[in-house]
Amino acid sequence: MIKPEKTINGTKWIETIQINAEERATLEDQYGIDEDIIEYVTDNDESTNYVYDINEDDQLFIFLAPYALDKDALRYITQPFGMLLHKGVLFTFNQSGIPEVNTALYSALDNPEVKSVDAFILETLFTVVVSFIPISRAITKKRNSLDKMLNRKTKNSDLVSLSYLQQTLTFLSSAVQTNLSELDRLPKTHFGVGADQDKIDLFEDVQIEGEQVQRMFEIETQVVDRIDHTLNSLANNNLNDTMKFLTIWSLTMAVPTIISGFYGMNVKLPLAGMQYAWMLTLGISVALIVAMLIMLKFWRKM
């Protein structure tokens, strides 16, 4: 969808969301955007990048934003969105229809302090970076609840939730890192040349916020990995206890089987003619079982 033109202090803004083949052709024919650029900014596999075309004086920004697969289960990935300055017109591309990107764009548009297209771009990036924070807080809340399961019997649903958290943290941590790397590089590019104090302040605000978000996700990743490691240790320990119990139980049951097996043979055996021979075999079995358990205890195998 290509939305109607808007203006940012005299600069035209063309907003696009999930454009189809016909709308791509419109962008090529009506606005003269090269087909390769459209393919680039609408590719869902692209990573964070900034490109300046010195011949056309075009500037292209690609950044990553959180994309919810299942908010209730905290399943997130990241998807790219693009901003293109082409022939004095700003084009934005939100091919995945990310709500956080739409919110960031209109928040920047409604901000009275945004007085240039450069400020609009930086304010949009700032809001997108901030959009990672509520997800981090939700992960913290979920992680705290999963942390309590260490003191109780772990359910399969808890393990699935922990796996979802690890996947989400992997995607978001990587996106935050690549976004921050590009934000640190941006002032040194053509976009940062001749920046006034207001623009420098915006650069610093976005970078500081990006560093804060990065630290939040680093901490969450470390804590969730520790929980996963502890759960694995507990599971291994419980398995060892179970195997030890079963081994001792099988040894215990083997003793009467051996004794009764001897006296079940059709041959003449000592004491076989006694009236209470079965009680004798039972006593021998019990005595051997007790002796074996004492030996295992003494050898610290129990």
Side-chain angles (χ1 to χ4, degrees), residues 46-50 61-66 77-81 98 101 124-132 171-187 203 206-211 213-214 217:
E46 286 299 332
S47 184
T48 307
N49 199 8
Y50 167 81
F61 306 79
I62 302 290
F63 280 84
L64 296 174
I77 59 173
T78 57
Q79 291 291 307
F81 70 98
I98 307 170
V101 172
T124 298
L125 295 179
F126 179 87
T127 307
V128 169
V129 170
V130 170
S131 70
F132 284 87
F171 282 112
L172 298 188
S173 297
S174 176
V176 167
Q177 177 61 49
T178 55
N179 282 351
L180 181 59
S181 298
E182 197 61 33
L183 289 172
D184 289 338
R185 189 179 76 92
L186 211 52
F203 275 129
V206 178
Q207 290 167 343
I208 291 172
E209 202 67 26
E211 291 171 357
V213 173
Q214 182 190 33
F217 277 99

Side-chain angles (χ1 to χ4, degrees), residues 88-137:
V89 179
L90 175 65
F91 297 85
T92 60
F93 299 87
N94 186 8
Q95 192 62 15
S96 299
I98 307 170
E100 287 79 4
V101 172
N102 294 332
T103 300
L105 290 170
Y106 283 93
S107 175
L109 182 66
D110 296 335
N111 190 338
E113 296 182 0
V114 173
K115 299 178 180 179
S116 67
V117 68
D118 288 357
F120 177 86
I121 292 172
L122 289 173
E123 190 66 32
T124 298
L125 295 179
F126 179 87
T127 307
V128 169
V129 170
V130 170
S131 70
F132 284 87
I133 295 178
I135 303 174
S136 176
R137 290 172 178 165

Side-chain angles (χ1 to χ4, degrees), residues 209-256:
E209 202 67 26
E211 291 171 357
Q212 178 185 346
V213 173
Q214 182 190 33
R215 286 193 296 270
M216 293 174 67
F217 277 99
E218 283 179 351
I219 293 172
E220 286 304 318
T221 300
Q222 292 173 8
V223 174
V224 170
D225 286 345
R226 289 289 180 87
I227 293 175
D228 180 62
H229 178 74
T230 303
L231 278 177
N232 288 333
S233 298
L234 288 174
N236 290 333
N237 187 60
N238 291 337
L239 179 61
N240 290 337
D241 290 342
T242 301
M243 294 303 298
K244 181 167 65 176
F245 172 79
L246 292 175
T247 301
I248 294 173
W249 184 256
S250 63
L251 289 174
T252 303
M253 292 296 99
V255 172

Side-chain angles (χ1 to χ4, degrees), residues 31-33 56-58 85-91:
Y31 297 100
I33 302 177
E56 298 290 337
D57 195 29
D58 288 349
L85 279 171
H86 173 70
K87 296 181 179 180
V89 179
L90 175 65
F91 297 85

